[in-house]
Amino acid sequence: MNLTVVVSETGQGLFQQSVIAGGHHFWADEPNDMGGEDTGPAPFDFLMAGLGACTSMTIRMYAKHKKIPLDKIEVTLIYSKQEIDGKSRDHITREIALQGNLTEEQRERLLAIANKCPVHKALEGNLVISSKLA
């Protein structure tokens, strides 16, 4: 699978970016207190939105396949810096609210499935980022 997203400066404000992903076009920016105009989500907002959306979609796909009576999923993501093993590390806490007539076993299984979402696996795995001049 190959995906391409194109991001370019708009010239409007210091940080505003035009983002084209598939047939979708939207803005990215920094908040006012970071020198931006706050015309769109900030980069870490996009990262967390991708993780949250992938988590919810993965759970939904599994629940549908297994006919689990899941009514609604809500994923809340909280970003922070934490000291882990003596080093400051980026940390995302993911809180997953599951609504429906679910057994405790189903709830635990859906939580385990959340960790199998492709974005989660990429972020925790051996993601390789290569940079080159165009």
Side-chain angles (χ1 to χ4, degrees), residues 22-65:
H24 306 282
H25 184 216
F26 43 94
W27 308 113
D29 203 349
E30 289 288 356
N32 297 105
D33 64 350
M34 297 290 292
E37 302 293 325
D38 200 23
T39 59
F44 263 96
D45 296 332
F46 281 109
L47 178 82
M48 295 197 320
L51 176 59
C54 184
T55 299
S56 182
M57 291 174 187
T58 300
I59 292 170
R60 174 58 64 201
M61 189 181 314
Y62 182 85
K64 181 179 180 202
H65 177 71

Side-chain angles (χ1 to χ4, degrees), residues 97-115:
L98 304 172
Q99 294 179 13
N101 189 18
L102 305 169
T103 67
E104 192 57 35
E105 182 179 320
Q106 288 170 326
R107 295 175 63 75
E108 290 300 320
R109 182 66 186 141
L110 293 173
L111 178 60
I113 290 300
N115 292 332

